[in-house]
Amino acid sequence: MGESTVNQSNRTATPSTSPLPEEAAQETGLPRARPTETPSGPPAGSDPSGLAGPLARPGLPHRLRAPRHPRLWFEILLIAVSYWTYSLIRNAVPEQRAQALRNADWIWRVEHELGIAVEQAVNHAVNSVTWLIVGMNYYYATLHFVVTIGVLVWLFRSHPGRYAAARLGLFATTAVALLGYYLYPLAPPRLMTGERFIDTVVLHQTWGSMASGNLKNMSNQYAAMPSMHIGWSLWCGVIIYSLAAAPWARILALLYPAVTLVVIVATANHFWLDAVGGVVCVAFGFAVSYAWYGSLPYRLPRRAEAPGVPEVPETSETSEASVVGAARARRRAQAP
């Protein structure tokens, strides 16, 4: 008897929150929930001190890894500073001309053993068609930047939720390429001694390479491995192919890195194996993006949380309102 009295004194009869409020229960015809006995005290899992609040904010790592709407000013500043840093580091790497030429001779021998040493034949064949090789010179000098920036702008405008993950993949691709330039200096085929490669930019007096003609002193001439023309064009191709809906855009996405491969060989700026190095860098870049965001860019939501606008979690009031709205919609549909 005493035990029963103690148990009853520790319990209070309080009505529990019904998943269907009174208004929705009347409209749907479902019975309303009856009051039930619930133990007194704070709910399980809540903070008794009340310091944390009902909606604790996620930690900083979680917020950094969550897809967010990019800020235009920040992205412009980040890209400008990043490319300036990339150019500074790339051109600050010691040229090591003797070692770069030895590495080029080794690459050329390996390709002969593999039966893929056709760069010289491609170089001479394309050079015999003046308008074609001149066009490739300008292709090599311009599209490398224009298409990459264009894809970034397209992502920013049309796929803001995927922009940060794709941009991280591009930045990681470029960063690991710098390591290749430092560890493995390599002369391009057009600078090899004793071979018959044609420097098409010098021959046709076109602005086709930052490492030829009047611009050769502005760039490290022995940073051919890996090829970032291939790295960036393949990144563009993967992004466009995975996100574009138009069939013609996906076809261009496949053609762009393939045509770029022909251009870098025809202009004697790279070996085939330099392109392989670029592919490895792209794979590394997407792996870094996947490790950080837990998903590849195309699997992330297209739209993301706008800066300064926090996500509002669903509460009992919003869920009840949705139930009431659904009930009213059913009644209007059933009305004669």
Side-chain angles (χ1 to χ4, degrees):
M1 182 69 179
E3 181 179 358
S4 175
T5 305
V6 171
N7 292 337
Q8 291 177 0
S9 64
N10 291 333
R11 291 178 174 270
T12 57
T14 59
S16 62
T17 304
S18 172
L20 289 178
E22 181 177 356
E23 183 180 358
Q26 292 175 354
E27 295 183 3
T28 58
L30 298 176
R32 283 175 286 179
R34 296 180 179 180
T36 58
E37 291 186 355
T38 58
S40 61
S46 63
D47 181 14
S49 64
L51 298 177
L55 297 176
R57 285 190 172 188
L60 180 61
H62 175 77
R63 294 201 301 271
L64 290 176
R65 297 174 67 179
R68 296 177 64 84
H69 197 288
R71 297 173 174 87
L72 179 59
W73 68 267
F74 177 78
E75 294 303 326
I76 294 176
L77 180 63
L78 179 63
I79 292 174
V81 172
S82 298
Y83 184 73
W84 175 80
T85 305
Y86 164 76
S87 300
L88 184 66
I89 296 175
R90 181 181 185 271
N91 298 333
V93 173
E95 289 194 350
Q96 304 179 17
R97 180 177 183 275
Q99 183 61 45
L101 291 173
R102 285 195 297 270
N103 289 339
D105 291 335
W106 184 84
I107 290 284
W108 191 230
R109 287 196 304 270
V110 169
E111 290 193 352
H112 274 286
E113 293 176 0
L114 295 176
I116 60 173
V118 297
E119 288 92 334
Q120 191 177 91
V122 174
N123 175 233
H124 283 258
V126 177
N127 184 70
S128 63
V129 184
T130 302
W131 66 267
L132 181 59
I133 193 60
V134 170
M136 286 189 175
N137 284 344
Y138 288 118
Y139 180 110
Y140 185 87
T142 58
L143 291 192
H144 180 50
F145 303 103
V146 173
V147 176
T148 304
I149 294 175
V151 172
L152 285 171
V153 172
W154 173 64
L155 284 170
F156 183 91
R157 292 176 58 87
S158 301
H159 300 268
R162 298 158 179 161
Y163 174 87
R167 184 244 291 145
L168 177 59
L170 177 64
F171 279 26
T173 297
T174 307
V176 75
L178 290 173
L179 187 62
Y181 301 149
Y182 182 82
L183 297 177
Y184 196 78
L186 181 66
R190 58 186 173 76
L191 294 182
M192 291 179 66
T193 57
E195 300 296 336
R196 296 177 53 251
F197 285 99
I198 301 172
D199 191 333
T200 59
V201 171
V202 173
L203 179 64
H204 298 281
Q205 296 297 306
T206 56
W207 186 65
S209 172
M210 288 292 290
S212 292
N214 296 328
L215 300 174
K216 63 182 179 182
N217 295 324
M218 298 175 57
S219 180
N220 182 0
Q221 299 188 68
Y222 304 106
M225 172 66 83
S227 169
M228 277 299 92
H229 277 75
I230 291 298
W232 287 9
S233 65
L234 183 59
W235 176 87
C236 292
V238 170
I239 292 298
I240 295 174
Y241 185 84
S242 60
L243 296 180
W248 62 265
R250 304 185 77 184
I251 293 174
L252 289 179
L254 296 176
L255 290 177
Y256 178 47
V259 173
T260 301
L261 177 61
V262 176
V263 168
I264 67 172
V265 171
T267 55
N269 280 293
H270 289 283
F271 297 100
W272 295 117
L273 293 182
D274 298 346
V276 175
V279 173
V280 172
C281 290
V282 173
F284 174 83
F286 278 111
V288 170
S289 178
Y290 181 86
W292 181 255
Y293 288 96
S295 176
L296 293 174
Y298 76 94
R299 292 182 177 177
L300 294 172
R302 181 172 183 173
R303 300 292 175 183
E305 174 188 345
V309 181
E311 293 182 356
V312 179
E314 184 178 9
T315 62
S316 59
E317 288 80 3
T318 58
S319 61
E320 289 177 0
S322 62
V323 172
V324 172
R328 288 175 175 172
R330 284 195 297 269
R331 289 192 61 184
R332 285 195 297 266
Q334 295 173 357

